[in-house]
Amino acid sequence: MSLLAVENLEVRFDTADGEVCAVNDVSFSVEPGETLGIVGESGSGKSQVFFAVMGLLAANGRARGKVRFRDTDLLGMPVSQLNTIRGAHLSMIFQDPMTSLNPYLRVSKQMTEVLVQHQHKSEQDARRIAIELLERVQIPEAARRFDQYPHEFSGGMRQRVMIAMALLCQPDLLIADEPTTALDVTVQAQILDLLAQLRDTLNTAIILISHDFGVVAGLCERVAVMYAGRIVETAPVREIFYRPQHPYTRGLLQSLPRLDADDHQELPTIPGQPPNLQSLGEGCAFSERCPLVQPHCLTDRPLLRQIAEDHSKACHRDLAA
Ligand SMILES: Nc1ncnc2c1ncn2[C@@H]1O[C@H](COP(=O)(O)OP(=O)(O)OP(=O)(O)O)[C@@H](O)[C@H]1O
Ligand code: SF4
Ligand SMILES: [Mg+2]
């Protein structure tokens, strides 16, 4: 049985200008210990998929479809019940560390509270476990810094505190939403190493959300590429890198900086803008930007179809390898 199975997930937001279709017919699964990367431009729906999974959509949002964690259906579950799963088995590191760290509470208080409430640990045990975790995420002088407030930590250190918090209850699945954006390259690499160690030592399954293919390639076995709220291609990382089969994925890969590139050479970007999620038409959502568009792309929406073992794409055309 998969650890997480998402089927035909849709997320809609009601706004004053009409309905926003942020996530459209998304299906995927994650096995125990697996690492899955979710890639796509800003606004493609990456975060909303997992806010729906975690039951954390904004008040104007609603989700439809199926989200199963092991054999438990998460969508529509009462918050009290969801809280027991979220705390103990399923954790998320958010894009902005300050959304999950309370600026007015010492880190020690925020960490021990979880252990005391969810796992009924004594205050003393909770302190010991939390400090060990901070050491594990390589916070220098963890015991001394434990009683500091979040603003006393640098950006990179705060991100580590968040990872430590997400690991307090040893989750089976860790969802990391852009955990390294806004950090410098060295800290970025350290945090990715840390996630890889956690996967290897604790067998934690990890979903890594990023707009950066390079970051995902460093950690993940499999990738799902999102565009306009849909998965448009999914395959093992190496397959996507060497044999991308969707024109959007090809465009994303071409806009990756190359080590052998001349510093002054401009990176190609995909021309045009993502479509308006309030008025998605009948055809392929990428058609306005696609160099390979054909007339029927404008009228028939391509569904995700298998094109090789463990490789699927949503595009009408077969591209040369
Ligand atoms: N509360 C809301 N009301 C209306 N639209 C929303 C709301 N929250 C998100 N959206 C829209 O849903 C779409 C998908 O957003 P999402 O946050 O999932 O993007 P993303 O892929 O995570 O982007 P980024 O890389 O910038 O984080 C966006 O167009 C966004 O504007
Ligand atoms: S379906 Fe057509 S428009 Fe869409 S990505 Fe494929 S070729 Fe391009
Ligand atoms: Mg996001």
Side-chain angles (χ1 to χ4, degrees), residues 129-197:
I129 295 169
I131 291 173
E132 273 170 18
L133 262 176
L134 289 179
E135 283 167 351
R136 185 167 197 141
V137 297
Q138 293 155 21
I139 303 257
E141 299 180 79
R144 183 181 65 78
R145 304 203 64 182
F146 191 46
D147 287 309
Q148 292 182 336
Y149 289 92
H151 71 262
E152 296 178 80
F153 290 79
S154 67
M157 289 296 154
R158 263 202 303 261
Q159 205 68 1
R160 284 161 197 248
V161 171
M162 285 246 306
I163 296 177
M165 283 192 62
L167 294 173
L168 276 172
C169 298
Q170 301 210 348
D172 304 308
L173 174 62
L174 178 66
I175 300 165
D177 193 355
E178 307 268 7
T180 61
T181 310
L183 301 179
D184 72 51
V185 180
T186 322
V187 182
Q188 219 181 68
Q190 287 169 353
I191 291 194
L192 291 173
D193 275 353
L194 182 66
L195 291 176
Q197 272 175 35

Side-chain angles (χ1 to χ4, degrees), residues 46-48 95 177-178 209:
K46 305 181 297 296
S47 295
Q48 301 311 322
Q95 240 166 317
D177 193 355
E178 307 268 7
I209 304 170

Side-chain angles (χ1 to χ4, degrees), residues 5-20:
V6 171
E7 281 170 37
N8 311 112
L9 182 68
E10 290 188 354
V11 175
R12 301 281 178 266
F13 290 104
D14 292 319
T15 71
D17 306 326
E19 191 178 59
V20 174

Side-chain angles (χ1 to χ4, degrees), residues 11-15 18-23 38-51 57-61 95 177-178 209-211 226 228-229 275-278:
V11 175
R12 301 281 178 266
F13 290 104
D14 292 319
T15 71
E19 191 178 59
V20 174
C21 301
V23 176
I38 309 283
V39 184
E41 285 168 302
S42 186
S44 56
K46 305 181 297 296
S47 295
Q48 301 311 322
V49 167
F50 296 96
F51 286 168
L57 286 178
N60 64 332
Q95 240 166 317
D177 193 355
E178 307 268 7
I209 304 170
S210 181
H211 60 271
M226 285 192 70
N276 183 346
L277 298 175
Q278 277 161 268

Side-chain angles (χ1 to χ4, degrees), residues 71-84:
D71 51 1
T72 313
D73 237 317
L74 296 187
L75 277 197
M77 182 182 267
V79 176
S80 57
Q81 211 181 334
L82 201 53
N83 272 339
T84 61

